[in-house]
Amino acid sequence: MKRKSLILLVSTVICALFLGCKEENVSGMWKINSLQKDGISQEICDIEIQLDQINNVISAAGNAGVNNFTGEFILNNNGSISVNNLASTKMMGSPEAMEFENTFIELLNGLSSAKIKDEKLILENKNANLKAEFSKVVQYDQPTVTTTLNSFYDTKWIVSSVNGLDSLGTNELYIILSEEELSAFTGINQIIAPFGYNKDDNSIYIGEGAATLALGSDEENHIEANFLQNLYNSQKIELNKNTLLLKDANDNVLITLKK
């Protein structure tokens, strides 16, 4: 697989939402079981997507077959979904994997139904006659000792303080970490960046990534700039129960996050 340049994808899709997602919280890790087009089962890639729902906002991150993506689903009062700030890497994979990814992205971009049925997550794009089924991944509690490998992965960490900022405004800032990737929301934009962790000295690496390019108010832009500066200056990580600290090389706390 040859890595190409990173791109950003920004789209807003309005689609109908049937009952299910609106009545049941869809938070969790979901693993794909099947993908159908025109009623015919398609070859699938082994993908998982992480969903985190707070009220009417669902944050999504995962792999589409070849490329990683992150974005938000807004559950509107009129029963529709707005898909905003969708950002993705751009890599080339095998023809089979790329075909699956294109079909899966087509499903998301034209989503017309999202519901939980018999403990399965069902996503449908009725215009393109696409349907995907997911099973929830059983996740076990990690030990709450300081910085155990993997113990901070695949969790939505809410930013509670940022060095140099007295206020974080009204928007919720967060970070989701995996073994190779960091996804975050700055209050305005979604970002995806390469991420690395060394368990021997708790050092971390955050590389240059992809981002959406939305503009906010002067206050929001100021918060975003400070958050990103501290994020990219972070070189160490420390976990203590439900608190995650990002630090510089001198152990100064730059960003504090909570579960």
Side-chain angles (χ1 to χ4, degrees), residues 20-89:
C21 259
K22 201 165 185 177
E23 293 185 342
E24 284 195 66
N25 191 296
V26 299
S27 295
M29 182 73 74
W30 297 89
K31 181 181 179 67
I32 194 167
N33 295 331
S34 64
L35 176 65
Q36 294 183 353
K37 185 171 186 176
D38 297 324
I40 301 173
S41 295
Q42 307 293 302
E43 292 291 331
I44 63 173
C45 294
D46 186 22
I47 67 167
E48 295 180 352
I49 59 175
Q50 173 71 36
L51 302 179
D52 293 285
Q53 181 177 353
I54 299 178
N55 298 323
N56 69 323
V57 179
I58 301 173
S59 303
N63 185 273
V66 177
N67 290 287
N68 296 320
F69 71 92
T70 185
E72 280 190 340
F73 294 76
I74 311 299
L75 308 184
N76 300 311
N77 292 330
N78 63 0
S80 66
I81 306 175
S82 298
V83 183
N84 297 318
N85 297 325
L86 187 65
S88 174
T89 57

Side-chain angles (χ1 to χ4, degrees), residues 11 16 21 51 54 69 74 80 87 92 95 103 105 112 125 127-129 149 151 179 182 188 215 222 225 229-230 237:
S11 66
C21 259
L51 302 179
I54 299 178
F69 71 92
I74 311 299
S80 66
M92 296 300 294
T103 304
I105 293 299
S112 59
N125 174 343
N127 290 330
N129 205 13
L149 181 63
S151 58
E179 290 187 12
L182 175 151
I188 308 173
L215 292 176
H222 174 69
Q229 180 180 8
N230 282 282
I237 194 167

Side-chain angles (χ1 to χ4, degrees), residues 77-117:
N77 292 330
N78 63 0
S80 66
I81 306 175
S82 298
V83 183
N84 297 318
N85 297 325
L86 187 65
S88 174
T89 57
K90 187 175 182 181
M91 299 169 59
M92 296 300 294
S94 67
E96 295 79 9
M98 294 302 299
E99 181 179 359
F100 167 81
E101 176 167 284
N102 290 337
T103 304
F104 183 67
I105 293 299
E106 183 183 5
L107 166 67
L108 294 182
N109 281 336
L111 197 66
S112 59
S113 174
K115 58 187 177 183
I116 295 178
K117 182 179 180 181

Side-chain angles (χ1 to χ4, degrees), residues 129-189:
N129 205 13
L130 293 169
K131 179 180 179 181
E133 179 187 277
F134 295 79
S135 290
K136 199 165 191 178
V137 178
V138 177
Q139 295 179 303
Y140 300 95
D141 292 336
Q142 297 286 348
T144 56
V145 297
T146 301
T147 317
T148 299
L149 181 63
N150 295 334
S151 58
F152 48 75
Y153 290 153
D154 300 323
T155 297
K156 184 177 181 180
W157 293 96
I158 309 300
V159 177
S160 60
S161 66
V162 176
N163 176 51
L165 288 177
D166 295 327
S167 170
L168 297 177
T170 58
N171 297 326
E172 181 182 81
L173 284 65
Y174 65 81
I175 294 173
I176 300 174
L177 301 171
S178 67
E179 290 187 12
E180 297 181 352
E181 180 184 277
L182 175 151
S183 61
F185 183 61
T186 69
I188 308 173
N189 289 290

